[in-house]
Each structure stands twice: as structure tokens, then as C-alpha cells.
Amino acid sequence: MAVPTKARFKARVIQLVAGGYKFAQRRRAARDNTPDELEFYYAAGDPHSHLAAQLLPRLQAQSKVKIRVRLVSQHESPIYPAIDKQRQFALTDVPRLASAYGLKTVAMNTLPSADLLASGSRYLHGAISLEEFIQREWEVSAALFSGQKTQPFDAGKLATPVDTDIEIQANNTRRERLGHYLPAMWQFRGDWFWGVDRAEALCAALGRAKLYDGALQLSRSANAAELGGTPAVDTPLEFFFSFRSPYSYLAAVQLQQRLSSLSLPLDVRPVLPMAMRGFKIPLAKRMYIVHDTAREAKNLGIPFGLISDPIGEGALRCLKVFSLADGAGQQLDFLVSAGRGAWAEAIDLSTDRGLRKVCERAGINWAAAQRCLQEPLPNYAQTNLDALQDMGFWGVPSFRLGEFTSWGNDRMWMLDELQRRIAANQ
């Protein structure tokens, strides 16, 4: 079935807007940066910023770019919701990543107090070179995440509160103007790369610009990852999914590809999209997610790019029809079919024509689906959301396997490793 003209037109408009937005960010970066400058946006007290900072010596040694560290802050906002949950998850996520990548980090015991965080930022702002920042960053992180209450930094080396605040606010504004919102971000020629997870993509970009020598020499060893106790063989793998999340689509495709070798029971748990739960998603966040997902989809060989946003009726209709899927296999078939339709084929899921297409190729009877659409939204949408929030998470894709919980499409390798450990214990 060909993509309807209206849906195709809207998808092309989205492509033009996304492309124009990216072009504008690159133009802004070109005006503000020297061509050979790499920016690192670092927030004191952010575990992922600390982990990414451990790459600074390698990047300095192997690249031909000037590295500029920009201190930023992060606060609860529509663009960065549930900040306490995100930070708490990072305390668990960073040690897992560090152990897998062979990176050293300070002990992640607790989140820092506001007073200690302010002192740490002043101490970092007082660094006059990259080498001094690297040394002070370790001192600051060791203090901030240790749980200590008193300020341990040399008072003579602290920048003034006013100067530090001015610098952080200026960097926050710059980051927003160049199209981003997160800490632990690398910015090179208008493109953004998150933490350690996008280090390979960053180095590839530097390599294309002939500004990087050799490989990053950062390899991931899943069997070295500290993932906690090994779950029992019959522990279900719970997959929390949103029909409006492009990262959920990528995760669903990868789970579908693994289904034949998955020895664990799979429990697929769709939830209402964040934007339909009162969260406002600003343009900068939407644009970055589209570009980052496109980059990841290309690496994974997953179709992506011709978009018909399913927010509203599209997502609600899919949540209703999901109840007809029989078993994990067909549930994943429907998730992937709907995801491909919304994110790669510009299929409007709010229309009967569009929804019928994604239903039928997943083996779901259209007549049954039409009857299902007349019913109220099933209770499982709220039940799944309650379970997600009880886990301490705010968004999707998220996973639970016994005591192990994680968030993000980038953590699929952890699930693979846990399954390997489960099999080895049998």
C-alpha cells in the first residue's frame, strides 16, 4: 500500500524541518567555534559527565582538536523531567558502564548536596588548563559522590560564586542555542554525542574531518560488566514501550531479532507516551532525538526517517489494538510494524487505512481491531505506567529482569549478557 499523499507530505515537511534545524545548528556552531574545536559540556555531580570525563586524556592524546570544557548545570524542567530519578539511575548505570569499558571512576555512593555541588563547580571553574581540569575533576567527583558534608577543596583555588554562576549560565544558554539540553555532551561542528555511549560516533566524526589518529581504543567487554546477581532461569524480561518513542521502536526491532534465541519469558508492557502524560517536549529535544535515532538506526540497519508522529489518536489506537496480539511474538510483530509505520514509512496510525496496514502485516484481524477501537483504553496502560514509575523510571524503553532494571535502547547488550549468565548457570 502506498503512503497516502497527505501523510507523505507531512513526513517530507518533518524531514525539511529537521534538516533545516540541523543545518542552522551547524551554522551557529561554525560562527562560534574554531573549525578544530571540540566542546565538552560537563555538569558537576552528574555521574555520566564524570564517566565521559575519563575519555579526555585519550581524546587529547589522539586527536588534533582543541578541547574546551564548558561547565553547565541541570535542573528539573520540561526538557529534562524527573531529574531525581534520572540522577539516581545514573548512580547505578555508570559503574556498570565503567566496568564494561575498563574505565576507572570514583565510588558512586550517593548524590551530592547542593552546597557541596556549588563548591565543586567553583573549584572546577578555577582550573586554568585541560590538564588541571582533569585532575580537579577526579577530586571533585570523589568528594561529591562520597556522601561527605564538608567542603574539602582548597579555598584559595575556588573561583568566586558570581564568576562561576555567570560562566555556567552562559554555557547553559550556549548549549540551548546550539540545540541541546543534557550534560555529558560532546559538541563538534554542530553535531552532538552523548557521554561514553556515543564516543565511537564522535571519533568517527573527528576521523572524517582528519582530526583523529587511530582508533579510540575503547572496547566494551560485556562479561566484565558488574550487573548484579544473575536472575533465575524463569525470570521474565519486562519490556516497557511507548508507541511514540523512536528509541522504543529500535529496541523492539532488536528484541524481535533476538526472540528465537531468547530463553527468558518476555512480558511486553506498553505505556502512554510522556507527551500524553503532561510532559512537554521542546523542539530542541525532539530534533536531537530524531537525529540521534537516525544515526543509531543506520548503525543497526533499521529503517528510519519518513515520520508520521503517532502522538494522540495514533498512540491511543495502537494501545487498544495491542490487546489483540497473541503472545510475545505477535506483540513484538505489532510493535515493530507500528514503529516502522510511524518512524520509517510515514503511515498515519490515527487513520483506519494506516492502522489496518500495520495490523494486517502483524497478523491481527482488522475486523477484531475495529471492534477493539470502540472500547475504552485498557487498564494495562496505567498498570504498566505505575510499574515503570515504581521501578524509579520516567521514560522508555525500560527493562526489568528480576532485580536488574535499566533504561535506554543503548543497554540491550546488558540484557544479552544477563541471558548468557543465566544459561551458563543452568
Side-chain angles (χ1 to χ4, degrees):
M1 181 179 74
V3 177
T5 303
K6 184 178 179 181
R8 179 177 289 276
F9 175 76
K10 289 173 65 177
R12 294 301 183 194
V13 169
I14 291 173
Q15 283 185 325
L16 288 172
V17 170
Y21 186 86
K22 191 175 185 69
F23 177 74
Q25 301 313 317
R26 286 178 172 171
R27 287 288 300 273
R28 291 189 183 102
R31 286 197 304 268
D32 294 354
N33 293 39
T34 62
D36 298 345
E37 185 172 84
L38 169 65
E39 292 185 329
F40 177 44
Y41 286 78
Y42 176 98
D46 168 49
H48 285 111
S49 288
H50 170 61
L51 180 65
Q54 308 319 303
L55 301 181
L56 287 170
R58 304 187 192 197
L59 287 166
Q60 184 182 37
Q62 294 179 228
S63 67
K64 302 173 185 177
V65 295
K66 176 183 178 181
I67 301 175
R68 182 189 297 272
V69 179
R70 293 190 179 273
L71 286 180
V72 292
S73 61
Q74 209 66 35
H75 304 285
E76 180 87 28
S77 71
I79 206 167
Y80 196 66
I83 189 169
D84 290 341
K85 290 183 177 181
Q86 296 205 42
R87 287 175 172 170
Q88 200 63 45
F89 166 67
L91 288 178
T92 300
D93 190 49
V94 163
R96 291 171 178 172
L97 293 174
S99 59
Y101 282 103
L103 295 172
K104 291 183 178 180
T105 65
V106 302
M108 293 279 166
N109 297 325
T110 187
L111 293 171
S113 67
D115 288 344
L116 195 58
L117 188 62
S119 296
S121 295
R122 290 174 59 195
Y123 188 57
L124 290 170
H125 184 44
I128 60 175
S129 66
L130 181 62
E131 290 77 11
E132 188 173 3
F133 174 86
I134 291 170
Q135 178 227 327
R136 291 192 182 193
E137 191 281 330
W138 188 272
E139 294 178 50
V140 167
S141 294
L144 263 55
F145 296 116
S146 68
Q148 67 185 71
K149 304 299 182 183
T150 57
Q151 191 274 104
F153 314 117
D154 184 341
K157 296 181 179 180
L158 298 180
T160 68
V162 172
D163 286 347
T164 304
D165 287 345
I166 289 173
E167 176 70 13
I168 287 176
Q169 289 308 313
N171 290 336
N172 287 347
T173 300
R174 176 183 175 82
R175 177 181 56 177
E176 182 179 356
R177 184 164 53 83
L178 293 180
H180 221 282
Y181 54 96
L182 285 174
M185 294 301 304
W186 310 92
Q187 188 271 129
F188 176 66
R189 294 184 178 178
D191 283 336
W192 292 92
F193 308 86
W194 182 58
V196 169
D197 288 272
R198 297 292 183 268
E200 286 189 16
L202 168 62
C203 291
L206 294 172
R208 288 192 295 271
K210 303 187 184 306
L211 295 171
Y212 197 81
D213 291 328
L216 175 64
Q217 298 178 347
L218 181 69
S219 58
R220 185 178 69 214
S221 177
N223 61 9
E226 298 172 3
L227 302 179
T230 302
V233 67
D234 57 349
T235 305
L237 170 58
E238 298 172 75
F239 171 40
F240 295 84
F241 172 100
S242 163
F243 287 98
R244 209 248 173 161
S245 163
Y247 292 120
S248 286
Y249 161 54
L250 298 189
V253 173
Q254 293 174 82
L255 277 175
Q256 186 188 54
Q257 293 168 345
R258 290 162 166 76
L259 190 59
S260 62
S261 60
L262 187 66
S263 60
L264 307 169
L266 180 61
D267 186 5
V268 182
R269 306 189 68 172
V271 301
L272 201 65
M274 287 181 68
M276 297 169 66
R277 290 187 265 132
F279 291 100
K280 295 182 179 179
I281 314 297
L283 180 64
K285 186 171 185 177
R286 283 181 279 149
M287 291 296 100
Y288 170 71
I289 287 173
V290 166
H291 290 302
D292 187 57
T293 307
R295 183 169 56 197
E296 289 301 292
K298 183 178 181 180
N299 291 339
L300 294 166
I302 297 174
F304 186 86
L306 205 56
I307 298 169
S308 179
D309 190 343
I311 189 171
E313 280 301 307
L316 288 174
R317 286 156 64 89
C318 286
L319 276 168
K320 290 180 180 182
V321 171
F322 174 82
S323 63
L324 299 176
D326 184 16
Q330 192 173 41
Q331 288 173 345
L332 285 178
D333 288 346
F334 180 64
L335 264 55
V336 170
S337 179
R340 190 167 76 240
W343 302 109
E345 300 169 332
I347 292 178
D348 187 349
L349 300 176
S350 69
T351 67
D352 284 352
R353 183 179 184 183
L355 188 57
R356 180 173 184 172
K357 171 70 174 179
V358 303
C359 283
E360 290 182 342
R361 66 185 181 189
I364 292 177
N365 180 271
W366 176 238
Q370 287 179 297
R371 292 191 295 272
C372 187
L373 292 174
Q374 306 306 312
E375 300 297 324
L377 186 66
N379 291 334
Y380 58 67
Q382 185 61 49
T383 300
N384 293 341
L385 178 58
D386 291 342
L388 179 71
Q389 293 175 334
D390 287 346
M391 286 162 51
F393 292 110
W394 60 96
V396 292
S398 291
F399 307 90
R400 176 163 57 188
L401 182 59
E403 295 300 314
F404 174 88
T405 58
S406 192
W407 166 75
N409 169 70
D410 300 307
R411 302 297 174 258
M412 299 295 297
W413 63 269
M414 294 185 182
L415 301 177
D416 292 339
E417 173 60 19
L418 284 170
Q419 177 174 270
R420 186 196 67 78
R421 296 179 187 182
I422 291 170
N425 279 355
Q426 285 186 272

